[in-house]
Amino acid sequence: MENARVASGPLGLEEIARFERDGWLLLKAALEPAMLAALAADFEGWVEASRVETGAYGQQSDGRPRFSLEPGHSAHRPALRRIASPVELSPNYLAVMRDGKAVDAVAQLIGPAIRFNNSKINSKHPGTATAVKYHQDFLFEPHSNDDLITVLYFLDDVTADNGPLEVVSGSHTGPLHDHWHEGVFTGAVSAAVGGAAASKSVPCRGPAGSACLMHTRLLHGSAPNLSAAPRTLFIVEYCAEDALPLQRNHIPSRYAGELVRGTASNRVRCSSYEMAFPEVPEGASFFEQQVKGD
């Protein structure tokens, strides 16, 4: 972290200290307007293509579906809720994964050398019911150390009403909460932990083009979108160059492990923690895993 503090980049020392304290940070104007428009146009093209589908479709490299549909999806009211690894489908998404203000900020926080881990799009269409239960991303992707950051790019304005990310500041320094319950991997913390998290959480809101940088140990969730406006996020995860995966990637990509900042060290760094290995989802996304906990 000392290297990050003296490295040049978009974050000042106060912002770095705030991320270390809270485990998250809102970065405004993370996307240039032209790139934001390009990402939104690509996503709208995928939504249009989804009108003819009736269930999860497409294929990831491990054979699982790439596209996940919200219950109630139809040709007249398409509700494409998840795209796994859009960087494999679009040069625009790939370019944002590799370069930009947010990537530079991540390098300041856990770099200077960082690797790409995985990416996805999560979208909540107006009036859709999907809620994301409280969880910690790190419990889905064990690495030799926990220097991992998730970047959530806002492709729409994120408001109080369209299901914003709800985060528990400082929880990244606390325990890793079990996501297995009664022998089932639910992809969520227990009801008791989730209830306590909800009482302490704060929303991460901002205009389209912003990004939320979030430590992967941070407790977070989100409510359904009950508004008339969509809430679509392009989510990219990075790890420190010396944080090596301990299990296969739950969102596989031919770009996984690509060095996007710094140089390779040929070293592995290990931190002390304990957790149960996660279950790799069999379907298109972890939404199906969270349903198992109901």
Side-chain angles (χ1 to χ4, degrees):
M1 191 65 70
E2 292 304 315
N3 287 341
R5 287 186 178 281
V6 299
S8 61
L11 301 182
L13 293 181
E14 182 180 342
E15 291 171 302
I16 292 172
R18 192 187 321 151
F19 180 88
E20 292 177 344
R21 181 194 67 208
D22 295 341
W24 69 281
L25 186 72
L26 181 67
L27 189 65
K28 293 186 177 180
L31 294 171
E32 296 291 337
M35 181 56 78
L36 173 62
L39 298 181
D42 284 348
F43 179 69
E44 285 307 310
W46 290 318
V47 171
E48 285 301 308
S50 77
R51 290 181 185 272
V52 301
E53 305 293 341
T54 58
Y57 64 100
Q59 191 174 71
Q60 301 182 62
S61 61
D62 62 1
R64 289 184 293 128
R66 185 184 295 275
F67 299 89
S68 174
L69 302 176
E70 180 82 28
H73 165 89
S74 68
H76 299 293
R77 191 180 181 189
L80 178 61
R81 69 178 177 183
R82 162 70 72 92
I83 303 173
S85 200
V87 297
E88 296 186 311
L89 305 176
S90 161
N92 294 315
Y93 282 83
L94 180 61
V96 170
M97 178 277 280
R98 286 174 166 166
D99 196 24
K101 183 177 179 181
V103 184
D104 291 337
V106 171
Q108 283 185 273
L109 294 170
I110 59 170
I114 58 173
R115 296 186 186 276
F116 166 66
N117 192 35
N118 58 51
S119 71
K120 56 186 177 283
I121 295 173
N122 281 356
S123 184
K124 294 184 180 181
H125 297 269
T128 54
T130 292
V132 177
K133 299 175 185 177
Y134 282 89
H135 64 283
Q136 295 164 295
D137 288 351
F138 192 71
L139 271 293
F140 293 83
E141 48 222 353
H143 279 63
S144 64
N145 67 68
D146 60 6
D147 273 348
L148 282 80
I149 288 178
T150 304
V151 178
L152 304 98
Y153 292 98
F154 299 178
L155 303 192
D156 302 301
D157 293 338
V158 177
T159 70
D161 301 317
N162 64 357
L165 182 73
E166 301 278 349
V167 298
V168 182
S169 296
S171 58
H172 65 303
T173 64
L176 291 171
H177 298 281
D178 204 347
H179 288 35
W180 287 87
H181 305 290
E182 298 182 356
V184 176
F185 185 73
T186 66
V189 298
S190 68
V193 173
S199 69
K200 302 174 185 176
S201 64
V202 295
C204 185
R205 305 190 296 251
S210 304
C212 180
L213 276 60
M214 182 179 70
H215 194 286
T216 61
R217 289 180 65 125
L218 194 76
L219 274 167
H220 63 286
S222 64
N225 180 2
L226 303 179
S227 75
R231 191 231 64 179
T232 303
L233 305 176
F234 173 39
I235 303 173
V236 190
E237 188 176 90
Y238 301 93
C239 60
E241 181 272 336
D242 57 4
L244 300 190
L246 302 180
Q247 193 181 38
R248 69 184 178 97
N249 203 319
H250 70 289
I251 309 177
S253 169
R254 64 178 175 270
Y255 300 108
E258 180 177 303
L259 193 68
V260 294
R261 289 291 184 278
T263 57
S265 66
N266 193 36
R267 298 182 66 84
V268 57
R269 177 168 49 93
C270 300
S271 59
S272 177
Y273 70 90
E274 185 176 340
M275 60 175 280
F277 271 126
E279 174 190 73
V280 176
E282 296 178 356
S285 73
F286 89 124
F287 291 117
E288 290 86 354
Q289 290 173 314
Q290 289 208 336
V291 169
K292 289 191 294 186
D294 292 337

